[in-house]
Amino acid sequence: MRIGIASEQGRGAVNEDRAGAGADWAFVVDGATAPSGLDSGCVHGVRWFADRLAAGLAAGLAAEERRPLPDVLAAAIASARRAHGPGCDLDHPDSPSATVAVVRAAPGADDADGAGGVEYLVLGDATVLLPTAPGPGGGVRAVTDDRLDHLPGGRPYSRELVRASRNAPGGFWVAGTSVAAAYEALHGTARTPGRRFAAMTDGCARLAELFGASWAEVWELLVRAGPEELVARVRAAERAHGVPRGKRHDDATVVVGAFDPPAGPPPGAAAPGGGGHGTGS
Ligand SMILES: [Zn+2]
């Protein structure tokens, strides 16, 4: 596998995004910044919560037992719930929360054309990109959970509307204290060339979501120039055009990679019996 990660803090005091990856999985987490002065019922805060959720996801994804991605997320949320302890109000509507995007290599051999399975899960306004054809010029499918964009009455939203809609039927779902939210995530399996993928937080998705780039252009940029260049382009667009809503610079994080090894050695070069022949890391 090959994995590249870039994460850049926005204007906040700390970066509340997290990213992680293993041999056959990767994720991003975007802790939701609490409005200043708001009582969240939690003595820990968003940074702490993002760390707990990321640690739980990494533990579940690296575990020997392979469980469905919604179960992995549910276990990570449950673990964070336990970590809050008795000093926190777990029923508080403004308890720290986060959006999540996870990808994992699906079992099974690649197709004859080199495409293999990639499982994905998206909860909240994070995005997973899944190429549909080889090469940087091929198509790409974007999986984004846009339920927050469709609350009753449209934007701008009142704080009360957002509070009442969070983790509620007909509203939008995020990873917070509700284990049930894990089962509201968008998830599935796609076949991508080389099991390639990208996952990003909304601060990084701005190039497409706010500044007019197509997802195919975002994917091509990632493949050609790498994750740091995507973040740099987002920052440049923010400086050049301003931001119609939200923070001037949000935390921006992207992980891009391929779970399959790079294109193999020429025919006949592979050592019989295998073992130790370079498959990358
Ligand atoms: Zn807490």
Side-chain angles (χ1 to χ4, degrees):
M1 62 84 140
R2 289 161 289 156
I3 300 278
I5 295 176
S7 183
E8 188 175 298
Q9 183 176 343
R11 284 285 178 86
V14 293
N15 189 344
E16 292 164 344
D17 282 1
R18 299 290 180 270
D24 64 351
W25 52 267
F27 67 81
V28 296
V29 162
D30 178 359
T33 305
S36 59
L38 182 76
D39 168 35
S40 69
C42 169
V43 302
H44 301 97
V46 174
R47 177 185 182 180
W48 174 93
F49 179 75
D51 281 333
R52 298 288 75 69
L53 193 67
L57 284 171
L61 291 163
E64 217 169 335
E65 183 193 0
R66 184 186 183 88
R67 302 175 67 192
L69 291 183
D71 288 351
V72 171
L73 177 56
I77 293 172
S79 171
R81 264 186 78 95
R82 289 191 295 274
H84 274 289
C88 300
D89 176 5
L90 298 183
D91 295 321
H92 198 293
D94 295 312
S95 186
S97 64
T99 71
V100 181
V102 182
V103 289
R104 181 172 66 181
D110 286 4
D111 300 341
D113 62 0
V118 176
E119 300 173 3
Y120 60 87
L121 175 146
V122 178
L123 184 65
D125 59 2
T127 299
V128 166
L129 295 185
L130 301 161
T132 55
V140 69
R141 174 182 167 206
V143 181
T144 300
D145 176 2
D146 63 355
R147 283 170 283 191
L148 179 57
D149 289 333
H150 298 104
L151 299 188
R155 294 182 189 272
Y157 301 143
S158 69
R159 192 177 284 184
E160 289 68 32
L161 176 68
V162 172
R163 179 181 288 149
S165 304
R166 187 183 298 123
N167 287 352
F172 66 100
W173 300 83
V174 290
T177 55
S178 165
V179 174
Y183 298 97
E184 301 290 338
L186 308 179
H187 63 98
T189 304
R191 302 195 77 77
T192 76
R195 289 191 166 86
R196 303 186 84 156
F197 65 89
M200 68 188 76
T201 62
D202 67 327
C204 204
R206 284 179 166 190
L207 204 61
E209 293 181 341
L210 295 185
F211 298 117
S214 69
W215 285 116
E217 288 167 339
V218 170
W219 175 252
E220 185 167 337
L221 182 63
L222 277 169
V223 171
R224 285 190 193 281
E228 291 182 358
E229 181 62 20
L230 174 58
V231 175
R233 295 284 184 95
V234 171
R235 293 296 185 241
E238 288 167 339
R239 285 191 297 271
H241 307 295
V243 176
R245 66 165 195 273
K247 302 167 202 166
R248 178 154 168 78
H249 299 297
D250 195 3
D251 299 336
T253 299
V254 56
V255 51
V256 59
F259 291 129
D260 284 352
H277 202 78
T279 53
S281 61

